[in-house]
Amino acid sequence: QVQLVESGGGLVQAGGSLRLSCVASGGFLGYYSVVWFRRPNGRDREWVSCLDSTDGTTTYSDSVKGRFTISHESPKNAVFLQMNNLRPEDTGVYFCAVRRALYGVGYCDDSTLVQTWGQGTQVTVSS
């Protein structure tokens, strides 16, 4: 059973950047589809970005497109989320999650497809 640990969250001013990490153990991320979700304060969880680790295909929600970049580094068995030009509305707890590779970058907003969740990392963007 793969396990996921996120890190890299913190407090940053609007316009700043953070790089979140999701490190896997007990399994190879290259065999999965990986999704970053977030739970903004007081709001429902929403998907942010999706990666098909088998072929590198990525997709992003409209709210982060052009500002966030998801990437996979096989030697580190990790997926990263580079977040630039952060806004106060990006504040929340960020989770990485894996699901079966066959989903690719489809149905990224469907949390019922998730097999394993990380514990989350807090991102706070001040105005």
Side-chain angles (χ1 to χ4, degrees):
Q1 178 81 12
V2 65
Q3 295 180 324
L4 306 171
V5 177
E6 301 98 331
S7 62
L11 173 64
V12 64
Q13 288 188 328
S17 299
L18 285 172
R19 188 185 191 219
L20 304 184
S21 301
C22 173
V23 179
S25 59
F28 180 50
L29 276 180
Y31 298 149
Y32 293 92
S33 167
V34 182
V35 188
W36 281 98
F37 290 88
R38 67 185 180 189
R39 180 180 286 119
N41 295 341
R43 290 162 51 189
D44 292 337
R45 183 172 53 204
E46 61 188 27
W47 79 280
V48 173
S49 181
C50 212
L51 168 74
D52 183 341
S53 296
T54 65
D55 65 8
T57 304
T58 62
T59 189
Y60 301 90
S61 66
D62 288 342
S63 61
V64 307
K65 197 173 297 181
R67 300 187 297 123
F68 290 12
T69 303
I70 190 171
S71 61
H72 174 221
E73 294 188 20
S74 291
K76 298 180 181 179
N77 203 21
V79 169
F80 301 93
L81 187 67
Q82 177 66 44
M83 307 187 297
N84 298 328
N85 192 20
L86 283 160
R87 304 167 180 168
E89 55 264 38
D90 294 318
T91 294
V93 180
Y94 284 68
F95 303 87
C96 68
V98 297
R99 69 245 183 100
R100 295 176 64 186
L102 66 89
Y103 297 117
V105 293
Y107 311 106
C108 297
D109 59 342
D110 189 349
S111 61
T112 66
L113 301 179
V114 171
Q115 291 182 301
T116 301
W117 293 90
Q119 85 289 349
T121 185
Q122 175 71 45
V123 171
T124 303
V125 184
S126 63
S127 57

